[in-house]
């Protein structure tokens, strides 16, 4: 038999190449997802916003030639979630089989300062991308992942939170994401699109943005360890979050798009820790035990052995409307996707502190 006529050759010819398009590719989740998909043989396309300086630090190592920014299996396109024409052009030319909408103005506190922009990008941006798929006639060919968020639960109506827990958003970010959540479901039901929401609880890593509380803590602890900083200022120490590792969570995103039917899933660890506990765990990584004194805005954290004050509360970091407790129930994902988190809370903190010590040792101004 001629090898070209063999069943294997025929199936290889007919098998569609996997092509992923990622918004937010330069972010924490986008970089981990790109690594993951490239390892699975995908061709990965990412949408990046134009900037006067390179903003691809998290994905530079994925270029075919990082020193020249030469593309290989990862290809980048200029576009924006608030520019529908750019989205239509990119979707039309790339013809992806999977789209991961990770792009967003994703900082909850800052969304109060940029409320209109947050709505335009996070809410209407999702609509623009869904419409781009339909404009290009690809609604039957593309599987669409929408990055939803545990912030949708806000003032929680039950503990823990699952796929059926009522939403009560408490920020412009959460309210914008609520629209994106429902428009994704609407397009799924109205146009029979394979479109899903991943309701991901907090997920961190050494690649987390510098102004998110977990990264702020690990960066400061690293600087304290290297004698580059004295004190860490934080907002609410009592807020509790369900913290996992971004590297684990992006696998869940992918699994949702491989599932037989389009469904929404909560992705979480099922355990919650306070900001105070995160601080304790981070300082333990540099051999320091923190003792807490006082209450509310007067609470401070001291080193047990020296009495040096390392943590103070600054009201400027309080949100206008706080979210006190988020803890997810990932049972559906465990049962239907066979997904479970691999990284423990302690392991997450350990990895982040170690990475930031190395970073600050090389560049104290990073």
């Amino acid at each position: 038999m001629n090898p070209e006529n063999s069943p294997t050759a025929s199936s290889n010819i007919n098998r569609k190449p996997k092509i992923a398009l990622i918004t937010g590719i330069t972010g924490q989740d986008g970089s981990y997802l790109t690594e993951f998909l490239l390892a699975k043989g995908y061709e990965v396309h990412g949408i990046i916003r134009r900037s006067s300086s390179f903003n691809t630090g998290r994905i530079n190592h994925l270029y075919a030639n990082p020193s020249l920014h030469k593309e290989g299996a990862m290809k980048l396109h200029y576009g924006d979630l608030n520019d529908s024409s750019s989205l239509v052009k990119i979707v039309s030319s790339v013809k992806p089989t999977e789209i991961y909408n990770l792009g967003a103005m994703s900082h909850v506190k800052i969304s109060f300062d940029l409320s209109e922009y947050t709505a335009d990008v996070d809410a209407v941006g999702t609509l623009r991308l869904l419409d781009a798929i339909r404009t290009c006639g690809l609604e039957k060919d593309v599987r669409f992942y929408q990055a939803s968020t545990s912030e949708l639960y806000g003032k929680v109506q039950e503990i823990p939170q699952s796929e059926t827990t009522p939403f009560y958003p408490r920020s412009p970010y959460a309210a914008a994401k609520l629209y994106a959540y429902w428009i994704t479901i609407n397009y799924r039901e109205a146009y029979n699109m394979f479109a899903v929401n991943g309701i991901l609880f907090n997920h961190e890593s050494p690649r987390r943005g510098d102004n998110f509380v977990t990264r702020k803590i690990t960066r400061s602890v690293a600087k304290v360890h290297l004698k580059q900083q004295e004190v860490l200022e934080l907002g609410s120490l009592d807020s509790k979050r369900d913290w996992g590792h971004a590297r684990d969570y992006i696998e869940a995103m992918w699994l949702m798009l491989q599932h037989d039917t389009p469904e929404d899933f909560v992705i979480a660890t099922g355990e919650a820790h306070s900001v105070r506990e995160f601080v304790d765990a981070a300082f333990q990584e540099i051999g320091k035990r923190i003792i807490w004194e006082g209450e509310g805005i007067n609470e401070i954290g001291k080193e047990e052995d020296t009495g040096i004050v390392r943590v103070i509360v600054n009201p400027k970091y309080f949100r206008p409307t706080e979210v006190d407790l988020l803890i997810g129930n990932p049972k559906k994902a465990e049962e239907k996707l066979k997904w479970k988190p691999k990284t423990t809370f302690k392991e997450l903190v350990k990895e982040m502190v170690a990475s930031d010590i190395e970073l600050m040792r090389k560049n104290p101004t990073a």
Side-chain angles (χ1 to χ4, degrees):
M1 180 186 287
N2 187 326
E4 291 183 2
N5 296 326
S6 69
T8 303
S10 176
S11 63
N12 285 339
I13 291 170
N14 294 328
R15 189 180 299 137
K16 273 188 174 183
K18 290 276 197 173
I19 302 172
L21 176 63
I22 303 172
T23 69
I25 193 171
T26 59
Q28 169 189 255
D29 293 4
S31 64
Y32 280 115
L33 180 60
T34 301
E35 288 175 347
F36 179 86
L37 294 176
L38 289 175
K40 288 192 171 293
Y42 279 66
E43 181 180 299
V44 178
H45 294 256
I47 298 177
I48 61 171
R49 289 173 295 173
R50 189 265 166 191
S51 172
S52 57
S53 58
F54 285 119
N55 58 354
T56 54
R58 294 184 180 96
I59 56 172
N60 278 345
H61 63 291
L62 300 175
Y63 282 112
N65 186 332
S67 63
L68 300 176
H69 284 213
K70 185 178 180 182
E71 295 176 344
M74 178 188 73
K75 306 175 192 304
L76 302 179
H77 308 262
Y78 284 113
D80 203 302
L81 283 167
N82 55 22
D83 179 5
S84 56
S85 64
S86 71
L87 299 178
V88 170
K89 288 174 188 173
I90 294 167
V91 170
S92 176
S93 64
V94 171
K95 292 183 170 54
T97 55
E98 297 174 4
I99 293 180
Y100 296 86
N101 186 30
L102 311 184
M105 204 310 290
S106 60
H107 196 286
V108 177
K109 175 69 166 63
I110 294 173
S111 77
F112 286 93
D113 301 319
L114 297 174
S115 53
E116 183 181 343
Y117 174 76
T118 301
D120 191 31
V121 174
D122 298 11
V124 186
T126 303
L127 173 64
R128 293 186 186 106
L129 191 51
L130 286 164
D131 263 338
I133 295 169
R134 294 196 63 237
T135 299
C136 296
L138 297 174
E139 59 262 47
K140 298 294 185 286
D141 302 311
V142 171
R143 295 194 168 200
F144 178 85
Y145 172 86
Q146 168 60 21
S148 283
T149 168
S150 57
E151 288 288 333
L152 292 174
Y153 298 114
K155 190 174 180 180
V156 298
Q157 303 299 293
E158 67 178 6
I159 300 170
Q161 295 89 55
S162 72
E163 293 82 2
T164 58
T165 302
F167 298 134
Y168 195 137
R170 298 265 284 174
S171 65
Y173 166 74
K177 283 288 191 175
L178 185 66
Y179 175 88
Y181 172 89
W182 282 114
I183 201 64
T184 298
I185 292 176
N186 181 249
Y187 271 55
R188 179 169 77 210
E189 295 176 349
Y191 305 114
N192 200 29
M193 293 174 65
F194 195 109
V196 303
N197 287 287
I199 307 172
L200 272 57
F201 280 65
N202 292 66
H203 45 291
E204 319 298 316
S205 77
R207 300 180 192 176
R208 188 55 141 153
D210 297 345
N211 58 358
F212 286 83
V213 68
T214 51
R215 189 72 197 291
K216 182 178 176 181
I217 292 168
T218 59
R219 283 169 55 87
S220 295
V221 168
K223 285 177 175 285
V224 167
H225 178 65
L226 297 171
K227 296 181 172 50
Q228 298 169 359
Q229 182 174 327
E230 291 294 320
V231 68
L232 164 62
E233 296 184 5
L234 293 170
S236 174
L237 296 169
D238 294 315
S239 293
K240 289 188 174 182
R241 294 292 184 270
D242 185 326
W243 277 304
H245 198 302
R247 188 174 49 231
D248 297 343
Y249 284 37
I250 57 96
E251 181 182 10
M253 300 177 188
W254 177 77
L255 287 170
M256 288 180 216
L257 294 194
Q258 315 315 307
H259 197 50
D260 291 338
T261 55
E263 298 181 47
D264 307 317
F265 289 91
V266 162
I267 303 299
T269 69
E271 62 178 69
H273 299 273
S274 67
V275 172
R276 190 183 292 101
E277 287 176 77
F278 200 105
V279 172
D280 284 336
F283 273 99
Q284 284 170 17
E285 290 302 317
I286 61 168
K288 301 289 185 183
R289 184 161 182 260
I290 298 297
I291 302 298
W292 300 94
E293 297 178 1
E295 293 182 359
I297 63 171
N298 297 313
E299 186 170 5
I300 59 172
K302 294 180 175 180
E303 286 184 7
E304 182 183 40
D305 54 347
T306 66
I308 296 173
V309 175
R310 291 301 188 191
V311 186
I312 61 173
V313 174
N314 188 332
K316 83 173 185 178
Y317 296 116
F318 292 160
R319 299 178 187 175
T321 41
E322 284 288 351
V323 173
D324 298 322
L325 170 65
L326 293 174
I327 178 169
N329 177 0
K331 187 177 179 183
K332 181 182 176 183
E334 290 174 359
E335 292 178 351
K336 291 196 170 187
L337 302 179
K338 308 303 179 192
W339 176 87
K340 282 191 175 181
K342 300 180 179 73
T343 311
T344 67
F345 175 73
K346 292 275 191 185
E347 290 168 343
L348 170 66
V349 177
K350 183 182 185 71
E351 182 182 338
M352 291 178 69
V353 172
S355 174
D356 275 327
I357 289 174
E358 187 64 23
L359 174 66
M360 299 307 168
R361 186 173 278 132
K362 290 178 181 175
N363 181 9
T365 62

